[in-house]
Amino acid sequence: MLIVIAFVVLAFDLVTKIAVVHFVAPGRPIEIIGDVVTLRLVRNPGAAFSMATGMTWLLTIVAVCVVIAVIRIGRTLRSLWWAIGLGLVLGGALGNLIDRFFRSPGPLQGHVVDFVSVGWWPVFNVADSSIVCGAILLVVVSLLGFEPNGERASSKKDVANSGAAERK
């Protein structure tokens, strides 16, 4: 499931970026819902909200590490919710990583294509949305006590507590 979700997110991200680069001229946004939601081509050298713009190479290395970590964790997953969350993060990370490697100005320094502009929020792309949604899902799943191995943290505590109660 993790690989399927990551592949779908990556494909959708790549297709939308290719379309936006082809159809949206820089500095000439296309209105979708008035001026609240627009398609606006922006090439982002930094991280989210254009932070760390001078550290593109470092962001690339961090993204590679995230991809490796997700793949390693993914091999041991037994939870559907964790697979979905990590699949969203992996697909998004790969989408932006492809930009970092293959877009100008060059490898490890490529600028990410951002294009969705909603109100006052910074411009973002499908990969960014996927990473954020996946991270939120992982936080919620963790708070609800679901473990990556498919067990529920509260059920482990309940078993331990019932065992202690039986010994008394």
Side-chain angles (χ1 to χ4, degrees):
M1 182 59 67
L2 182 148
I3 298 300
V4 170
I5 290 171
F7 178 78
V8 168
V9 167
L10 177 60
F12 189 53
D13 182 63
L14 291 175
V15 167
T16 56
K17 286 176 179 174
I18 290 167
V20 165
V21 167
H22 182 76
F23 293 111
V24 180
R28 302 194 68 191
I30 298 173
E31 293 183 353
I32 303 298
I33 302 175
D35 62 350
V36 176
V37 179
T38 61
L39 296 180
R40 177 183 317 269
L41 178 59
V42 174
R43 296 186 186 261
N44 182 359
F49 313 119
S50 294
M51 295 187 304
T53 56
M55 305 186 101
T56 305
W57 63 272
L58 179 61
L59 297 171
T60 304
I61 292 169
V62 168
V64 168
C65 292
V66 166
V67 167
I68 291 169
V70 169
I71 290 170
R72 290 190 71 181
I73 292 169
R75 295 186 306 173
T76 63
L77 284 180
R78 300 289 176 261
S79 165
L80 176 63
W81 292 111
W82 274 84
I84 292 169
L86 288 173
L88 290 168
V89 170
L90 179 60
L94 286 170
N96 284 340
L97 195 56
I98 287 172
D99 283 359
R100 298 276 181 217
F101 275 108
F102 298 109
R103 293 201 185 270
S104 65
L108 298 180
Q109 297 177 3
H111 296 180
V112 172
V113 172
D114 289 334
F115 57 90
V116 180
S117 179
V118 179
W120 53 268
W121 198 255
V123 182
F124 59 95
N125 60 38
V126 171
D128 297 336
S129 297
S130 177
I131 291 168
V132 169
C133 290
I136 290 169
L137 177 59
L138 293 173
V139 168
V140 168
V141 166
S142 295
L143 290 174
L144 292 175
F146 290 97
E147 301 285 337
N149 65 5
E151 293 181 18
R152 222 164 151 190
S154 61
S155 64
K156 283 194 254 180
K157 290 177 189 172
D158 292 341
V159 170
N161 289 339
S162 67
E166 289 175 9
R167 287 190 291 260
K168 288 183 178 181

